[in-house]
Amino acid sequence: MFSKTLTSGGELRPLEPWRAEEFAAHIDRAREHIRPWVGPSFVTTDVDGARATLGRYADRAARDGAGIYGIWDDGVLVGGVMFVEFSTGTRSFEVGCWLEPGAEGKGHITGAVRELLAYALEERGMHRAEWRCRSDNDRSSAVARRLGMTLDGVLREAWPVGGVFYDKQVWSLLAGEFTA
Ligand SMILES: CC(C)(COP(=O)(O)OP(=O)(O)OC[C@H]1O[C@@H](n2cnc3c(N)ncnc32)[C@H](O)[C@@H]1OP(=O)(O)O)[C@@H](O)C(=O)NCCC(=O)NCCS
């Protein structure tokens, strides 16, 4: 129900709090793969932590300020995409993503982000999409490039991980530049 089939064959659906156990099992498979590249609060260790993540997104979605969507491959939750921020005031939003390692290289994320861009830029009349990643996250910047985003610039040493400050890239796509 409420699912969208991606060209990769994945299924994109809202990732709601009632899926916390399934999400926690997926995070167990993804944890070490995503840890260097995503915010620490996303890298949870148990079902309560997973439920808290989905609850935070649900609360903010209720205020039209965020959203999180899972990707299922052959019935297994393998990753997802999210509106990290969604501001109707400025008509700008930020998209994020993650996958467990076995699901890379199939186009799930490029296809799923395209769905979020179409929804936000076309259906909701938003103006500016942002993509933020560590400058050395080559697979993430490749997604932004593949989607036709422009590198706005680099925030120097803005991403601390384990005592090291990494550079952060900011990519964007404007409404007039999007072709579904
Ligand atoms: C960032 C991340 C989600 C990107 O995953 P990905 O698999 O490279 O991205 P996609 O799902 O869009 O797949 C693209 C790959 O599938 C291939 N592909 C196959 N079919 C495709 C299709 N229909 N459409 C697009 N690409 C397709 C592409 O050629 C590309 O392969 P390549 O890696 O050999 O160039 C993943 O590396 C990840 O989870 N990393 C850790 C967490 C993270 O960094 N999150 C982002 C924080 S900013």
Side-chain angles (χ1 to χ4, degrees):
M1 190 173 196
F2 303 127
S3 110
K4 183 111 195 174
T5 302
L6 304 171
T7 52
S8 62
E11 293 284 328
L12 183 69
R13 301 192 187 99
L15 189 47
E16 295 167 334
W18 66 270
R19 295 190 185 271
E21 291 193 3
E22 186 179 11
F23 182 51
H26 155 66
I27 290 292
D28 278 346
R29 298 188 293 272
R31 189 175 298 108
E32 297 315 318
H33 177 64
I34 65 174
R35 192 190 293 282
W37 313 110
V38 304
S41 65
F42 196 76
V43 190
T44 53
T45 54
D46 55 21
V47 176
D48 285 346
R51 186 176 292 109
T53 300
L54 299 185
R56 276 198 307 277
Y57 272 96
D59 288 346
R60 293 177 59 218
R63 297 191 297 277
D64 204 19
I68 189 164
Y69 308 87
I71 299 168
W72 280 259
D73 190 345
D74 261 343
V76 177
L77 177 61
V78 294
V81 291
M82 67 274 255
F83 290 116
V84 181
E85 301 286 344
F86 197 87
S87 168
T88 54
T90 60
R91 290 167 61 196
S92 63
F93 60 99
E94 181 189 339
V95 178
C97 70
W98 81 97
L99 282 176
E100 57 185 62
E104 282 185 329
K106 300 180 177 181
H108 287 321
I109 294 298
T110 302
V113 173
R114 213 170 257 134
E115 294 296 336
L116 296 199
L117 294 174
Y119 164 74
L121 297 172
E122 294 179 342
E123 201 170 330
R124 296 295 308 276
M126 300 290 272
H127 181 68
R128 174 184 162 88
E130 266 191 17
W131 183 271
R132 292 171 172 247
C133 61
R134 256 175 66 171
S135 294
D136 58 342
N137 192 344
D138 295 339
R139 292 196 81 99
S140 182
S141 53
V143 174
R145 202 172 291 112
R146 206 178 286 122
L147 289 164
M149 292 187 164
T150 296
L151 180 61
D152 285 349
V154 174
L155 306 180
R156 295 180 308 143
E157 300 195 0
W159 195 307
V161 181
V164 179
F165 292 89
Y166 293 91
D167 289 350
K168 182 192 287 193
Q169 294 178 342
V170 180
W171 296 75
S172 69
L173 186 80
L174 306 180
E177 299 166 348
F178 178 64
T179 42

